[in-house]
Amino acid sequence: DEYQWKGPFYFIQGADPQFGLMKAWAVGDTNNGDDEWGEEIRLAEQAVRAVSELTPKPKFFVLCGDLIHGMPGTRWRQAQERDLKDVLRRTDQDIPLVFVSGNHDIGNAPTRETIAEYCQSWGDDYFSFWVGGVFFLVLNSQLYFDSSRCLELKQAQDAWLDEQLALAGKHRCKHIIVFQHIPLFLRDPDEDHDYFNLEKSVRQELMDKFHKAGVRAVFSGHYHRNAGGSYRGLEMVVSSAVGCQLGEDTHGLRVVVVTEEKIVHRYYSLDELSNQGVGKELLDVLAGQ
């Protein structure tokens, strides 16, 4: 039934609640300073309340990675996960939650074990789903950043992705939208590689694959700032964090409206979304006006 177009809808994208980073960043010790996360709890609670009270309801709420700050095997990881889950359970039960793995969730150089631990706690590290004629792909971008310790898992995701993109073409979906933690690029498809984007040859291979398949947009986090650009009709959307900000943006969420012809989105601060809801300009797009 979800293969069929049913009219415009919208979803909410967030990224990097990252319980523990604000204290670690403030004290300058990102490896050991994440022993407090009360402020992140408050921000996540505000995000969940804002999303749950929206009218009409979004189709789903996706969090694009770095759910917590504690890397696999670190001291505070289990407590951070427990507290985030306690907050997320308060999301309106009619709004599905979609989770994307980030580098802090599975490690900068993930292993079969760290990925298995993530999957047990949060669900599959890559998967696809349909909503009203639109095909969504969730990818494990860490396998594209450093798969040196689990190369066979990257190869498996690559083969799966090719199959999924072929499937999307067969079903003639209205749009294909990708979620991943690490952006392909921040502003320019040809920019240099650093911590916040994918290596250039890997990036080019994915961009060409997405372009050929007709992917319309890739939504990511990781940068803790808003950014983005385009490549041959493919839009790269980088959303700032629910949690710790590394630039001038505010804690927030992105509202994404999907129509038959286009994908329209806007980043809202948590205060703005809590107090005013979705703005009239996006509601008009949703209503087809």
Side-chain angles (χ1 to χ4, degrees):
D1 187 43
E2 291 297 333
Y3 291 156
Q4 307 305 316
W5 176 252
K6 303 173 184 176
F9 63 89
Y10 80 104
F11 63 87
I12 304 296
Q13 184 227 359
D16 302 275
Q18 204 158 342
F19 280 23
L21 176 58
M22 293 178 82
K23 164 75 183 303
W25 191 259
V27 301
D29 184 0
T30 55
N31 292 323
N32 304 293
D34 59 330
D35 58 345
E36 296 176 15
W37 50 91
E39 181 63 11
E40 283 101 334
I41 289 176
R42 186 191 69 76
L43 291 163
E45 287 174 340
Q46 184 180 7
V48 163
R49 278 196 306 273
V51 171
S52 297
E53 292 170 4
L54 290 173
T55 305
K57 292 186 190 304
K59 286 290 188 181
F60 60 88
F61 177 21
V62 57
L63 284 171
C64 282
D66 280 2
L67 307 174
I68 57 169
H69 182 69
M71 289 279 191
T74 56
R75 181 177 179 185
W76 305 107
R77 180 178 175 88
Q78 288 186 331
Q80 290 167 2
E81 278 198 357
R82 180 195 64 224
D83 288 353
L84 178 57
K85 287 180 177 181
D86 284 345
V87 174
L88 293 174
R89 284 190 188 98
R90 302 172 213 167
T91 308
D92 186 296
Q93 63 181 3
D94 293 327
I95 303 172
L97 292 166
V98 178
F99 300 115
V100 181
S101 63
N103 57 304
H104 281 264
D105 304 311
I106 60 175
N108 285 321
T111 66
R112 180 176 287 278
E113 291 73 26
T114 63
I115 292 173
E117 179 189 320
Y118 169 86
C119 292
Q120 185 174 15
S121 195
W122 296 101
D124 290 343
D125 59 319
Y126 59 90
F127 56 96
S128 64
F129 61 98
W130 289 81
V131 176
V134 178
F135 192 48
F136 293 92
L137 290 161
V138 172
L139 297 181
N140 179 346
S141 58
Q142 214 57 36
L143 294 176
Y144 296 119
F145 192 84
D146 184 353
S147 61
S148 60
R149 301 173 71 187
C150 56
L151 185 57
E152 75 284 1
L153 297 185
K154 177 190 180 294
Q155 292 168 342
Q157 179 174 247
D158 284 340
W160 172 87
L161 178 58
D162 289 343
E163 291 171 0
Q164 294 295 304
L165 292 174
L167 179 72
K170 188 163 63 173
H171 283 287
R172 299 180 183 176
C173 56
K174 290 295 180 186
H175 306 291
I176 307 171
I177 295 173
V178 171
F179 299 120
Q180 59 188 56
H181 178 62
I182 301 178
L184 299 168
F185 57 89
L186 298 175
R187 291 183 175 84
D188 184 338
D190 198 40
E191 70 197 17
D192 290 339
H193 166 57
D194 64 21
Y195 175 78
F196 288 112
N197 60 20
L198 292 180
E199 192 273 325
K200 289 179 80 169
S201 64
V202 174
R203 176 196 316 166
Q204 191 65 53
E205 182 180 346
L206 281 171
M207 290 191 305
D208 289 340
K209 182 177 293 190
F210 290 163
H211 170 71
K212 183 178 179 181
V215 175
R216 292 292 300 274
V218 176
F219 289 87
S220 71
H222 188 53
Y223 192 44
H224 294 254
R225 287 154 284 212
N226 287 309
S230 63
Y231 173 79
R232 301 177 69 188
L234 168 69
E235 186 177 11
M236 181 67 247
V237 184
V238 185
S239 292
S240 196
V242 174
C244 186
Q245 300 297 310
L246 302 184
E248 302 301 316
D249 296 298
T250 53
H251 311 282
L253 296 167
R254 191 171 296 275
V255 176
V256 185
V257 176
V258 182
T259 75
E260 197 165 6
E261 295 83 25
K262 58 188 177 181
I263 298 163
V264 183
H265 53 86
R266 181 187 154 194
Y267 186 84
Y268 288 81
S269 73
L270 293 182
D271 287 343
E272 190 178 10
L273 200 61
S274 299
N275 296 330
Q276 302 170 25
V278 179
K280 183 179 184 300
E281 75 281 7
L282 288 187
L283 289 175
D284 285 347
V285 173
L286 194 63
Q289 298 173 9

